[in-house]
Amino acid sequence: MNSHHATDTADDTVLFHTSGRTGTITLNRPRALNALTHPMVLRIEEALLAWAHDPAVDRVLIRGAGERGLCAGGDIRAIHDDAKAGTSASADFWRDEYRLNALIARYPKPYVALMDGIVMGGGVGVSAHGSVRIVTERSRVAMPETGIGFVPDVGGTHLLGRAPGLLGTHLALTGSAVGAADALLCGLADHFVPAALLPELADALAEEPAHEVLPRYAATPAPGELAARRPWIDRCYAAETVEEIVERLLAEGDPAAKETAETILAKSPTSLKVTLAAVSRARRLGTLEEVLAQEYRTSCHALRSPDLVEGIRAQVVDKDRTPRWSPSDLREVPEEAVAGFFAPLGPGRELGLAAQR
């Protein structure tokens, strides 16, 4: 990994080191909750490709610096500025980010992700496609894109589409964060390990394979919420439209279902409709690469839609938390507008990842 040492002084936003037989990636922007930038994505890809062929490295571990989480997602301020300026920086970033998500999913060596604390959006993309995904009692895992006028990406619609029943549709529309037990239930993680044991676990991984280490550290998390809610979640989200999903939730007579309806109604109506379509299409597409190609389309189209700039403005820039969505009502979003998010981008502009079975 000597190639990295020259750049580490210039860019220490992601750190690489090997200890024993493990190559470790540390996302190192703790003040920004380790949000991913384009250079970080490219450097992670470079390290993974080098380690894939390095006989001295048996497995890879990814973790976040600081106490708050692995990664809060992509750098959405940069996306906001790009969308306002009308440049291609975000499309270029997503192309490389989604390629990295696919590389992680197909990685030839065990890829161990410590999903401690906040793991959202792009943070899910660099962890939940890995082969060994570890959550703790502090984990808060979410794809919160509908709240900023965006659509779940980084392979999130692929992961959520494969969750049991319609739990994934619920998480995609509400953007709700789940704890350890629910992350395990939804297939977003594999093992629960108490946060206090992670340093010890990482040390053990330097010398021994993950499948030998994990049984010593894995435990049972506190119960989640989704298993008990699954009956009404599966009933309500079976509806064909977001409007009908909301109607069904309100008709359930369960306070949690009513609260869920209110959560959904606060999100971007356009994003909600595109997200519902994206998750159901992802279920039919099959491979992660095909889903990432679809997500690349929805992301690029979202960049030119008013809700993305407005959503980021309200949540991140001005922080007034009162986005003015356009249109502001689910019934005002035309079907052709939703279909437009899935339209081809044109020659040379598609993601172009080769599908692997």
Side-chain angles (χ1 to χ4, degrees):
M1 288 309 297
N2 292 337
S3 60
H4 285 282
H5 292 163
T7 52
D8 274 353
T9 47
D11 180 7
D12 60 358
T13 56
V14 54
L15 306 174
F16 305 94
H17 74 275
T18 48
S19 45
R21 315 268 323 156
T22 298
T24 299
I25 301 165
T26 304
L27 304 180
N28 190 39
R29 296 182 70 209
R31 283 202 300 275
L33 246 163
N34 301 319
L36 294 171
T37 62
H38 199 163
M40 289 167 74
V41 163
L42 293 173
R43 294 179 69 229
I44 293 167
E45 179 187 47
E46 188 190 346
L48 288 177
L49 291 173
W51 282 336
H53 304 293
D54 186 341
V57 174
D58 286 344
R59 65 201 76 83
V60 170
L61 177 77
I62 188 167
R63 62 185 180 195
E67 292 294 303
R68 293 166 60 211
L70 172 66
C71 173
D75 189 340
I76 58 175
R77 263 179 189 273
I79 294 168
H80 172 270
D81 297 345
D82 177 43
K84 282 188 84 161
T87 55
S88 68
S90 296
D92 298 340
F93 168 60
W94 291 324
R95 182 180 291 277
D96 291 329
E97 184 183 23
Y98 301 174
R99 192 174 70 206
L100 174 63
N101 301 145
L103 172 63
I104 290 167
R106 307 285 180 206
Y107 204 61
K109 298 177 179 181
Y111 182 99
V112 183
L114 302 187
M115 299 171 70
D116 185 30
I118 290 178
V119 185
M120 296 185 179
V124 172
V126 294
S127 60
H129 298 295
S131 52
V132 183
R133 305 161 303 170
I134 296 165
V135 281
T136 75
E137 71 281 4
R138 304 191 296 200
S139 294
R140 305 299 294 154
V141 184
M143 293 299 296
E145 286 73 16
T146 55
I148 57 163
F150 197 45
V151 181
D153 66 334
V154 299
T157 62
H158 176 75
L159 294 163
L160 295 176
R162 295 165 71 178
L166 294 172
L167 293 175
T169 305
H170 168 70
L171 295 183
L173 293 183
T174 59
S176 298
V178 295
D182 288 335
L184 294 168
L185 172 65
C186 292
L188 299 171
D190 306 300
H191 307 279
F192 169 79
V193 174
L197 297 180
L198 291 183
E200 207 181 303
L201 171 82
D203 288 345
L205 281 173
E207 310 305 330
E208 298 173 81
H211 65 88
E212 289 177 20
V213 171
L214 272 159
R216 301 206 296 269
Y217 294 95
T220 304
E225 298 174 340
L226 292 179
R229 295 178 181 180
R230 171 107 187 254
W232 61 255
I233 286 174
D234 286 355
R235 270 198 303 277
C236 296
Y237 288 93
E240 302 251 312
T241 65
V242 181
E243 294 93 315
E244 199 189 328
I245 289 170
V246 170
E247 280 171 30
R248 290 188 186 188
L249 288 166
L250 291 171
E252 274 292 321
D254 181 317
K258 181 176 185 287
E259 198 179 311
T260 297
E262 287 162 3
T263 298
I264 291 173
L265 289 170
K267 311 295 182 191
S268 156
T270 302
S271 291
L272 289 166
K273 295 212 157 191
V274 176
T275 296
L276 182 62
V279 174
S280 57
R281 283 165 174 252
R283 283 194 188 98
R284 298 195 295 272
L285 282 173
T287 70
L288 173 63
E289 285 80 4
E290 288 169 300
V291 176
L292 286 165
Q294 171 176 280
E295 290 177 347
Y296 189 69
R297 288 179 177 180
T298 58
S299 294
C300 289
H301 289 302
L303 201 56
R304 304 288 170 251
S305 75
D307 279 3
L308 180 59
V309 171
E310 173 59 14
I312 299 175
R313 179 206 65 75
Q315 303 296 348
V316 181
V317 182
D318 298 339
K319 294 189 169 67
D320 58 28
R321 306 277 191 265
T322 50
R324 290 180 289 279
W325 305 123
S326 173
S328 60
D329 190 296
L330 283 163
R331 290 163 301 196
E332 291 166 15
V333 181
E335 275 181 38
E336 51 275 22
V338 175
F341 277 78
F342 299 92
L345 298 169
R349 293 182 57 214
E350 301 287 354
L351 182 59
L353 267 181
Q356 296 180 25
R357 294 272 167 200

